[in-house]
Amino acid sequence: MYYDRKYLEIALDLARKCSGFTFPNPPVGCVIVEYDKIKKDHKIVSYGQTQISGRPHAEFNAIKQTVFKAKKDYICYSSLEPCCHKGRSESCVSEILKTPIKKVVFSVIDPDKRVNGKGKEILKEYGISVSNGLLKKSAIDLYSGYFLNRIFGRPKITLKIATSLDGKIYGNKNKWITNGITRSFVHSLRFENDAILIGGNTVKIDNPRLDCRLKGLEGFSPIKIVISKSFDLSKNLKIFSINPKVKTIVFTTNLKKKKDFISKKNIEFHILNEREFKIKNIIKKLTSYGISNVLVEGGAKINSFFLRENLVDDLIITRGNFFLGKDALDTLAKIGPNPNISKNNFLLKKVWNFKNDVIEHYRNVKYENFLKKMYTGF
């Protein structure tokens, strides 16, 4: 119908507004529209969003708030294909089939192998009209990390680098390279991602908390991931001692060090041998946690490893308005082949100015091509 776009836009907006709250499930928005038999008058009678920690689902919430009337018809609009597998509760398809809903409109097929078009087919088998593909680009942009997780078994990687005008990332005299507005922007990135990754050297040098400190969102800090072969770190560092409710995942080759952290119930160790200790293997392992979006805030070595392996999808560079000098640390480490950050690999997408700071958003050409393929394929 001509108003399908309007109501599906509302469902997508609801999904965006709950993004960051729904891990390990994707954020979904749903609206249920009531209309008369001649399809002249129509209005939203309920809406739903995926709730905190992923349950209940958006469709379930919308249905439970709807008072269905015998002389009216109903359409369900959802940002993502309704699920058809039973998990902690009944599937959304099962809930829809219990109602007088005549039509379901969703934007994109859910690539999860347990769904992947099956939800659509079941609804059609039971005589419900189903339409999908509308506002596909908007939905793909929203679910890109989820698609990478389900299709390629890896999360979307965003690398954030804070640098001075002379390309340095750390100086003994300067704790902060960027201003308060830019740091708030970075905390919003932390909230939007499922996990935040850092190297052992940066943990030692900076002693970061690595959490989200935006007012009202402190309880939604991402999972912390520490990569360190030697893992010669104290359990009293802020990353291990502040906000113990947040899971911390450690990848290391140091089996003995694990005993020092036995009292830290929120810390999970993955002990790898030298051959296994590679960024690609670690990133693949994260998908088993349902992690779809990772923010990397590493030091020079971690930055270089991710760029050299061409694992960075989005690159965010925040630049402070001063020089740190030759004694400060470089943005990238000189390890193996130099990572290539050129126009052949990355496209400049957007530039922000926060007072004297500049933020640049670059996108990997490979990732850009993936998105374009998804725009036409789902």
Side-chain angles (χ1 to χ4, degrees):
M1 295 180 183
Y2 72 92
Y3 48 83
D4 281 353
R5 175 178 291 270
K6 166 185 163 182
Y7 289 125
L8 194 55
E9 280 178 344
I10 295 172
L12 278 163
D13 193 46
L14 288 168
R16 293 186 195 98
K17 287 180 178 178
C18 65
S19 182
F21 294 100
T22 65
F23 177 81
N25 289 341
V28 176
C30 174
V31 294
I32 294 180
V33 174
E34 177 185 278
Y35 60 96
D36 59 19
K37 297 295 183 179
I38 60 173
K39 298 179 176 58
K40 181 180 179 181
D41 296 322
H42 47 88
K43 64 179 180 181
I44 293 175
V45 290
S46 69
Y47 68 89
Q49 295 166 287
T50 308
Q51 295 299 290
I52 293 172
S53 300
R55 292 282 179 170
H57 285 184
E59 294 90 343
F60 175 89
N61 289 319
I63 288 169
K64 293 306 176 185
Q65 296 179 64
T66 305
V67 177
F68 293 100
K69 299 175 182 177
K71 295 183 179 181
K72 301 289 184 179
D73 286 334
Y74 296 88
I75 300 178
C76 174
Y77 293 88
S78 183
S79 56
L80 187 67
E81 179 185 13
C83 69
C84 56
H85 57 283
K86 185 174 181 178
R88 286 175 279 173
S89 57
E90 289 292 329
S91 73
C92 293
V93 165
S94 296
E95 295 294 340
I96 291 170
L97 292 176
K98 296 175 185 176
T99 73
I101 289 171
K102 301 286 187 181
K103 180 178 178 180
V104 173
V105 179
F106 63 87
S107 188
V108 287
I109 295 287
D110 186 340
D112 189 306
K113 64 182 180 181
R114 296 169 296 178
V115 190
N116 199 21
K118 298 185 184 76
K120 176 181 178 178
E121 291 306 313
I122 293 171
L123 290 169
K124 289 171 67 176
E125 286 174 10
Y126 280 83
I128 294 175
S129 173
V130 183
S131 174
N132 68 282
L134 195 60
L135 300 175
K136 186 187 302 182
K137 184 178 184 300
S138 296
I140 293 295
D141 289 343
L142 174 63
Y143 296 119
S144 58
Y146 178 68
F147 272 55
L148 284 171
N149 180 296
R150 293 301 191 266
I151 297 172
F152 294 111
R154 74 164 183 90
K156 176 189 172 186
I157 305 293
T158 300
L159 173 62
K160 190 278 297 182
I161 300 175
T163 178
S164 61
L165 285 175
D166 52 343
K168 306 291 184 176
I169 61 173
Y170 181 80
N172 290 328
K173 296 180 181 179
N174 298 87
K175 182 179 180 182
W176 303 115
I177 292 177
T178 53
N179 63 39
I181 302 173
T182 300
R183 293 198 297 274
S184 293
F185 171 82
V186 172
H187 280 279
S188 71
L189 286 177
R190 290 180 178 181
F191 165 70
E192 292 168 2
N193 281 270
D194 305 324
I196 180 168
L197 185 149
I198 195 170
N201 286 338
T202 304
V203 174
K204 279 194 289 186
I205 293 170
D206 290 353
N207 191 19
R209 292 174 51 167
L210 222 65
D211 55 3
C212 175
R213 295 192 289 280
L214 294 178
K215 188 174 181 180
L217 299 177
E218 299 91 342
F220 299 96
S221 292
I223 293 171
K224 304 171 187 179
I225 303 163
V226 179
I227 298 178
S228 174
K229 268 191 178 183
S230 60
F231 198 66
D232 51 343
L233 303 173
S234 166
K235 64 180 179 181
N236 297 319
L237 289 166
K238 292 177 183 177
I239 192 172
F240 304 121
S241 56
I242 291 179
N243 204 346
K245 292 183 180 180
V246 177
K247 182 191 288 288
T248 299
I249 305 171
V250 175
F251 291 90
T252 182
T253 59
N254 188 349
L255 176 60
K256 294 180 181 178
K257 193 69 176 181
K258 181 179 178 181
K259 296 176 183 177
D260 296 341
F261 286 77
I262 196 165
S263 63
K264 302 280 187 177
K265 302 302 181 183
N266 64 314
I267 299 177
E268 187 171 318
F269 279 80
H270 285 280
I271 309 300
L272 308 176
N273 59 41
E274 288 284 339
R275 188 178 62 181
E276 294 172 326
F277 200 87
K278 295 179 181 178
I279 293 292
K280 284 187 176 180
N281 292 338
I282 291 170
I283 290 303
K284 194 169 185 66
K285 182 66 179 175
L286 295 180
T287 61
S288 65
Y289 289 89
I291 293 171
S292 296
N293 297 280
V294 175
L295 177 65
V296 178
E297 289 194 42
K301 280 189 177 181
I302 290 292
N303 296 344
S304 297
F305 280 132
F306 272 88
L307 288 166
R308 193 179 67 187
E309 296 293 326
N310 198 23
L311 288 171
V312 177
D313 299 303
D314 278 330
L315 174 63
I316 305 291
I317 300 178
T318 65
R319 301 185 192 276
N321 190 34
F322 58 88
F323 293 86
L324 285 176
K326 63 179 181 179
D327 294 330
L329 296 178
D330 290 326
T331 304
L332 301 174
K334 295 178 175 61
I335 47 172
N338 290 327
N340 186 5
I341 315 176
S342 69
K343 64 182 180 181
N344 295 323
N345 283 19
F346 286 88
L347 304 170
L348 179 62
K349 301 294 289 185
K350 194 169 183 179
V351 178
W352 297 270
N353 290 283
F354 292 163
K355 290 188 175 179
N356 292 327
D357 288 355
V358 176
I359 300 178
E360 299 163 348
H361 172 205
Y362 296 87
R363 176 157 287 169
N364 193 314
V365 171
K366 181 179 176 182
Y367 174 56
E368 182 88 349
N369 290 335
F370 162 77
L371 290 176
K372 290 178 179 177
K373 184 178 180 182
M374 291 298 99
Y375 295 156
T376 59
F378 272 78

